[in-house]
C-alpha cells in the first residue's frame, strides 16, 4: 500500500502548531508524527495529545536511545538522552566481564523501559540480564525491549531477584529517581502530568532509592562486581560516602557535558 504524499506546507503548519506549545524540536516532531500517522484524522488525534504536553515518545510508542529503538508506553518514564552515557558505561563493563569467557550477570534497577539493559544486550548478547521496577507496566515494556531470555520483576529492591544470585551479580546499574521532593515545583509540568512521580522524586535529598540500591549491592554483587548510578552531580559525594559505609569502593564521579548529571561507580572489594 502506497503511503500518501505529504505536502511541505502541511509539515510547516504542523511544526508551527508544535512550536506554539513549546516543542523545541518542532520540525523533527512534526516529521515523526506524519510518518507515524499518514491518515489525517489519526494524526490530528496524536497532535492534540502532544499539544497537551504528553511526551512524543509515549504518543508514537518508541524512543531512539543511543542507536537502539525502544518501545514505550503511556504513563511510563521516558528515558532521557543524557542517560545514554550510563548505558554505554554499563555495556563497556559487561563487555569486560564477557571477555573473560563467561556471560556477565547484569541487573537494571528502576528499569522503566530498560534503556540500560537493552544497550547491554546489544553489546553482549550472551549476557544474563534482569530488570525490575515498581511499575508493572514499565516491566512489561522493558521485557518487550529485551531478548526472550531476559527476566523482569515487579518490586522496589534487589530482593525481588532470584535468591540464588546473591553474591553473583557482575553489574547493577540504574537511573533511580533522584529529584529531591522539595524541588518538585521546579520540574516541568509535563513530566509530573504524564510520568510517574515514583520514577522521578527521590525523597528529601533525592537519594532515598539510591541509598537502598547501594546498601543492597554489597550483598548481591560478586567480588569485583560494580554498581553504576546516574545522579545529580551534587549528590555523587553523598552516594560515595554511603557506598564506603557498606563496603564498596567508589571509582568514578564523572559529570556529563550538561554540567548537571553525575555518573557514580563503585566496586565491591579492593
Amino acid at each position: 500500500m502506497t503511503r500518501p504524499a505529504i505536502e511541505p506546507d502541511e509539515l510547516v503548519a504542523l511544526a508551527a502548531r508544535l512550536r506554539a506549545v513549546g516543542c523545541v524540536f518542532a520540525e523533527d516532531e512534526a516529521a515523526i508524527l506524519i510518518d507515524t500517522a499518514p491518515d489525517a484524522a489519526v494524526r490530528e488525534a496524536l497532535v492534540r495529545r502532544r499539544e497537551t504536553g504528553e511526551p512524543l515518545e509515549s504518543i508514537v510508542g518508541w524512543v531512539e536511545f543511543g542507536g537502539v529503538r525502544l518501545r514505550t508506553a503511556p504513563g511510563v518514564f521516558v528515558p532521557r538522552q543524557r542517560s545514554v552515557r550510563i548505558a554505554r558505561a554499563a555495556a563497556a563493563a559487561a563487555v569486560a566481564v564477557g571477555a573473560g569467557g563467561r556471560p556477565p550477570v547484569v541487573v537494571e534497577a528502576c528499569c522503566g523501559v530498560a534503556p540500560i539493559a537493552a544497550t547491554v544486550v546489544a553489546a553482549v548478547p550472551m549476557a544474563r540480564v534482569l530488570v525490575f521496577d515498581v511499575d508493572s507496566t514499565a516491566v512489561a515494556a522493558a521485557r518487550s525491549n529485551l531478548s526472550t531470555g531476559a527476566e523482569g520483576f515487579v518490586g522496589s529492591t534487589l530482593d525481588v531477584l532470584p535468591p540464588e544470585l546473591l553474591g553473583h551479580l557482575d553489574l547493577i546499574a540504574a537511573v533511580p529517581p533522584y529529584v529531591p521532593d522539595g524541588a518538585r515545583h521546579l520540574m516541568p509540568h509535563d513530566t509530573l502530568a504524564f510520568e510517574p512521580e515514583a520514577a522521578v522524586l527521590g525523597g528529601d535529598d533525592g537519594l532515598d532509592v539510591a541509598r537502598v540500591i547501594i546498601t543492597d549491592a554489597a550483598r548481591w554483587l560478586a567480588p569485583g562486581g560494580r554498581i553504576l548510578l546516574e545522579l545529580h552531580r551534587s549528590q555523587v559525594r553523598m552516594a560515595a560516602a554511603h557506598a564506603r559505609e557498606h563496603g564498596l569502593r567508589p571509582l568514578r564521579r564523572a559529570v556529563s557535558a550538561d554540567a548537571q548529571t553525575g555518573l557514580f561507580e563503585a566496586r565491591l572489594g579492593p
Side-chain angles (χ1 to χ4, degrees):
M1 180 174 163
T2 303
R3 174 171 292 173
I6 302 297
E7 295 295 330
D9 287 349
E10 187 174 2
L11 180 63
V12 171
L14 179 50
R17 284 179 63 181
L18 296 174
R19 195 178 301 107
V21 294
C23 297
V24 177
F25 302 104
E27 289 78 8
D28 292 340
E29 292 198 15
I32 290 172
L33 286 165
I34 289 171
D35 186 63
T36 300
D39 179 81
V42 174
R43 182 164 64 251
E44 178 62 22
L46 300 186
V47 172
R48 289 183 178 181
R49 287 170 62 186
R50 186 67 183 114
E51 288 177 322
T52 69
E54 185 174 353
L56 176 71
E57 297 84 357
S58 297
I59 295 170
V60 301
W62 58 270
V63 60
E64 198 73 31
F65 183 86
V68 178
R69 179 172 285 200
L70 302 172
R71 295 183 183 91
T72 59
V76 175
F77 183 78
V78 176
R80 305 320 196 233
Q81 294 305 310
R82 62 177 176 263
S83 299
V84 169
R85 183 177 188 180
I86 186 175
R88 289 176 174 166
V95 167
V97 173
R102 66 175 180 82
V105 184
V106 178
V107 171
E108 181 175 3
C110 310
C111 67
V113 300
I116 297 174
T119 304
V120 168
V121 169
V124 191
M126 69 173 179
R128 181 178 179 182
V129 173
L130 305 95
V131 300
F132 71 88
D133 197 288
V134 297
D135 183 353
S136 60
T137 304
V139 173
R143 296 192 68 172
S144 74
N145 287 317
L146 300 170
S147 59
T148 54
E151 301 162 72
F153 304 89
V154 178
S156 59
T157 71
L158 290 161
D159 289 335
V160 299
L161 302 176
E164 64 268 20
L165 291 178
L166 272 168
H168 293 284
L169 302 184
D170 295 300
L171 177 66
I172 301 165
V175 180
Y178 59 85
V179 176
D181 290 354
R184 186 182 190 281
H185 66 287
L186 300 175
M187 297 182 61
H189 166 75
D190 298 348
T191 297
L192 295 176
F194 294 101
E195 296 181 286
E197 287 191 6
V200 179
L201 299 177
D204 288 346
D205 62 0
L207 288 174
D208 283 2
V209 177
R211 270 191 289 267
V212 171
I213 295 173
I214 291 170
T215 300
D216 290 347
R219 293 187 298 120
W220 285 89
L221 287 173
R226 301 189 180 215
I227 180 171
L228 276 169
L229 299 177
E230 178 187 293
L231 302 169
H232 188 271
R233 64 182 178 84
S234 65
Q235 299 167 324
V236 172
R237 188 178 298 275
M238 290 184 287
H242 189 73
R244 288 191 192 93
E245 291 173 2
H246 289 83
L248 301 177
R249 178 188 172 193
L251 299 174
R252 175 164 37 179
R253 307 180 194 179
V255 178
S256 296
D258 63 9
Q260 300 297 319
T261 309
L263 178 60
F264 173 68
E265 181 178 11
R267 182 175 65 199
L268 181 64

